[in-house]
PDB file of all heavy atoms in Angstrom:
ATOM      1  N   ARG Y  10       5.781  11.807  -7.827  1.00 77.00           N
ATOM      2  CA  ARG Y  10       6.808  12.152  -8.826  1.00 77.00           C
ATOM      3  C   ARG Y  10       6.385  11.705 -10.209  1.00 77.00           C
ATOM      4  O   ARG Y  10       6.585  12.422 -11.188  1.00 77.00           O
ATOM      5  CB  ARG Y  10       8.130  11.489  -8.455  1.00 77.00           C
ATOM      6  CG  ARG Y  10       8.804  12.142  -7.319  1.00 77.00           C
ATOM      7  CD  ARG Y  10      10.208  11.630  -7.171  1.00 77.00           C
ATOM      8  NE  ARG Y  10      10.766  12.162  -5.945  1.00 77.00           N
ATOM      9  CZ  ARG Y  10      11.608  11.520  -5.186  1.00 77.00           C
ATOM     10  NH1 ARG Y  10      12.030  10.342  -5.534  1.00 77.00           N
ATOM     11  NH2 ARG Y  10      12.067  12.080  -4.089  1.00 77.00           N
ATOM     12  N   GLU Y  11       5.833  10.491 -10.284  1.00 77.00           N
ATOM     13  CA  GLU Y  11       5.458   9.950 -11.579  1.00 77.00           C
ATOM     14  C   GLU Y  11       4.350  10.780 -12.233  1.00 77.00           C
ATOM     15  O   GLU Y  11       4.374  11.016 -13.442  1.00 77.00           O
ATOM     16  CB  GLU Y  11       4.995   8.505 -11.411  1.00 77.00           C
ATOM     17  CG  GLU Y  11       4.764   7.781 -12.716  1.00 77.00           C
ATOM     18  CD  GLU Y  11       4.373   6.341 -12.494  1.00 77.00           C
ATOM     19  OE1 GLU Y  11       3.407   6.082 -11.747  1.00 77.00           O
ATOM     20  OE2 GLU Y  11       5.029   5.480 -13.095  1.00 77.00           O
ATOM     21  N   LEU Y  12       3.404  11.261 -11.446  1.00 77.00           N
ATOM     22  CA  LEU Y  12       2.307  12.071 -11.979  1.00 77.00           C
ATOM     23  C   LEU Y  12       2.673  13.544 -12.146  1.00 77.00           C
ATOM     24  O   LEU Y  12       1.919  14.312 -12.725  1.00 77.00           O
ATOM     25  CB  LEU Y  12       1.083  11.952 -11.070  1.00 77.00           C
ATOM     26  CG  LEU Y  12       0.456  10.562 -10.969  1.00 77.00           C
ATOM     27  CD1 LEU Y  12      -0.620  10.546  -9.905  1.00 77.00           C
ATOM     28  CD2 LEU Y  12      -0.082  10.129 -12.316  1.00 77.00           C
ATOM     29  N   GLY Y  13       3.805  13.958 -11.585  1.00 77.00           N
ATOM     30  CA  GLY Y  13       4.227  15.351 -11.688  1.00 77.00           C
ATOM     31  C   GLY Y  13       3.561  16.267 -10.674  1.00 77.00           C
ATOM     32  O   GLY Y  13       3.565  17.489 -10.851  1.00 77.00           O
ATOM     33  N   THR Y  14       2.999  15.717  -9.622  1.00 76.00           N
ATOM     34  CA  THR Y  14       2.326  16.541  -8.603  1.00 76.00           C
ATOM     35  C   THR Y  14       3.196  16.800  -7.382  1.00 76.00           C
ATOM     36  O   THR Y  14       2.742  17.435  -6.433  1.00 76.00           O
ATOM     37  CB  THR Y  14       1.024  15.854  -8.151  1.00 76.00           C
ATOM     38  OG1 THR Y  14       1.330  14.547  -7.661  1.00 76.00           O
ATOM     39  CG2 THR Y  14       0.034  15.769  -9.284  1.00 76.00           C
ATOM     40  N   GLU Y  15       4.440  16.356  -7.415  1.00 75.00           N
ATOM     41  CA  GLU Y  15       5.339  16.563  -6.282  1.00 75.00           C
ATOM     42  C   GLU Y  15       5.593  18.052  -6.039  1.00 75.00           C
ATOM     43  O   GLU Y  15       5.556  18.515  -4.898  1.00 75.00           O
ATOM     44  CB  GLU Y  15       6.662  15.837  -6.524  1.00 75.00           C
ATOM     45  CG  GLU Y  15       7.651  16.008  -5.400  1.00 75.00           C
ATOM     46  CD  GLU Y  15       8.981  15.356  -5.703  1.00 75.00           C
ATOM     47  OE1 GLU Y  15       9.361  15.266  -6.892  1.00 75.00           O
ATOM     48  OE2 GLU Y  15       9.648  14.972  -4.750  1.00 75.00           O
ATOM     49  N   GLU Y  16       5.822  18.796  -7.105  1.00 75.00           N
ATOM     50  CA  GLU Y  16       6.083  20.232  -6.965  1.00 75.00           C
ATOM     51  C   GLU Y  16       4.883  20.953  -6.359  1.00 75.00           C
ATOM     52  O   GLU Y  16       5.035  21.814  -5.497  1.00 75.00           O
ATOM     53  CB  GLU Y  16       6.433  20.850  -8.326  1.00 75.00           C
ATOM     54  CG  GLU Y  16       7.801  20.469  -8.837  1.00 75.00           C
ATOM     55  CD  GLU Y  16       8.921  21.036  -7.972  1.00 75.00           C
ATOM     56  OE1 GLU Y  16       8.781  22.159  -7.454  1.00 75.00           O
ATOM     57  OE2 GLU Y  16       9.937  20.332  -7.802  1.00 75.00           O
ATOM     58  N   GLN Y  17       3.685  20.613  -6.814  1.00 77.00           N
ATOM     59  CA  GLN Y  17       2.483  21.236  -6.248  1.00 77.00           C
ATOM     60  C   GLN Y  17       2.356  20.925  -4.771  1.00 77.00           C
ATOM     61  O   GLN Y  17       2.010  21.791  -3.973  1.00 77.00           O
ATOM     62  CB  GLN Y  17       1.232  20.742  -6.979  1.00 77.00           C
ATOM     63  CG  GLN Y  17       1.079  21.266  -8.366  1.00 77.00           C
ATOM     64  CD  GLN Y  17      -0.139  20.658  -9.044  1.00 77.00           C
ATOM     65  OE1 GLN Y  17      -0.482  19.513  -8.804  1.00 77.00           O
ATOM     66  NE2 GLN Y  17      -0.783  21.451  -9.881  1.00 77.00           N
ATOM     67  N   LEU Y  18       2.629  19.690  -4.416  1.00 74.00           N
ATOM     68  CA  LEU Y  18       2.502  19.267  -3.029  1.00 74.00           C
ATOM     69  C   LEU Y  18       3.517  19.982  -2.141  1.00 74.00           C
ATOM     70  O   LEU Y  18       3.198  20.393  -1.027  1.00 74.00           O
ATOM     71  CB  LEU Y  18       2.692  17.752  -2.942  1.00 74.00           C
ATOM     72  CG  LEU Y  18       2.371  17.074  -1.631  1.00 74.00           C
ATOM     73  CD1 LEU Y  18       0.922  17.311  -1.250  1.00 74.00           C
ATOM     74  CD2 LEU Y  18       2.643  15.582  -1.731  1.00 74.00           C
ATOM     75  N   LEU Y  19       4.724  20.161  -2.646  1.00 75.00           N
ATOM     76  CA  LEU Y  19       5.770  20.786  -1.841  1.00 75.00           C
ATOM     77  C   LEU Y  19       5.664  22.307  -1.800  1.00 75.00           C
ATOM     78  O   LEU Y  19       6.345  22.946  -1.001  1.00 75.00           O
ATOM     79  CB  LEU Y  19       7.148  20.358  -2.353  1.00 75.00           C
ATOM     80  CG  LEU Y  19       7.482  18.885  -2.119  1.00 75.00           C
ATOM     81  CD1 LEU Y  19       8.804  18.531  -2.765  1.00 75.00           C
ATOM     82  CD2 LEU Y  19       7.499  18.555  -0.642  1.00 75.00           C
ATOM     83  N   THR Y  20       4.854  22.902  -2.673  1.00 77.00           N
ATOM     84  CA  THR Y  20       4.681  24.357  -2.629  1.00 77.00           C
ATOM     85  C   THR Y  20       3.507  24.766  -1.748  1.00 77.00           C
ATOM     86  O   THR Y  20       3.282  25.957  -1.558  1.00 77.00           O
ATOM     87  CB  THR Y  20       4.480  24.935  -4.045  1.00 77.00           C
ATOM     88  OG1 THR Y  20       3.366  24.296  -4.652  1.00 77.00           O
ATOM     89  CG2 THR Y  20       5.731  24.761  -4.885  1.00 77.00           C
ATOM     90  N   LEU Y  21       2.767  23.804  -1.226  1.00 78.00           N
ATOM     91  CA  LEU Y  21       1.690  24.122  -0.291  1.00 78.00           C
ATOM     92  C   LEU Y  21       2.283  24.663   1.010  1.00 78.00           C
ATOM     93  O   LEU Y  21       3.441  24.374   1.329  1.00 78.00           O
ATOM     94  CB  LEU Y  21       0.849  22.871  -0.011  1.00 78.00           C
ATOM     95  CG  LEU Y  21       0.048  22.334  -1.189  1.00 78.00           C
ATOM     96  CD1 LEU Y  21      -0.603  21.013  -0.812  1.00 78.00           C
ATOM     97  CD2 LEU Y  21      -1.005  23.328  -1.619  1.00 78.00           C
TER      98      LEU Y  21
END
Side-chain angles (χ1 to χ4, degrees):
R10 286 191 188 146
E11 188 177 54
L12 296 172
T14 57
E15 180 184 30
E16 288 294 324
Q17 288 177 326
L18 190 59
L19 291 175
T20 57
L21 293 174

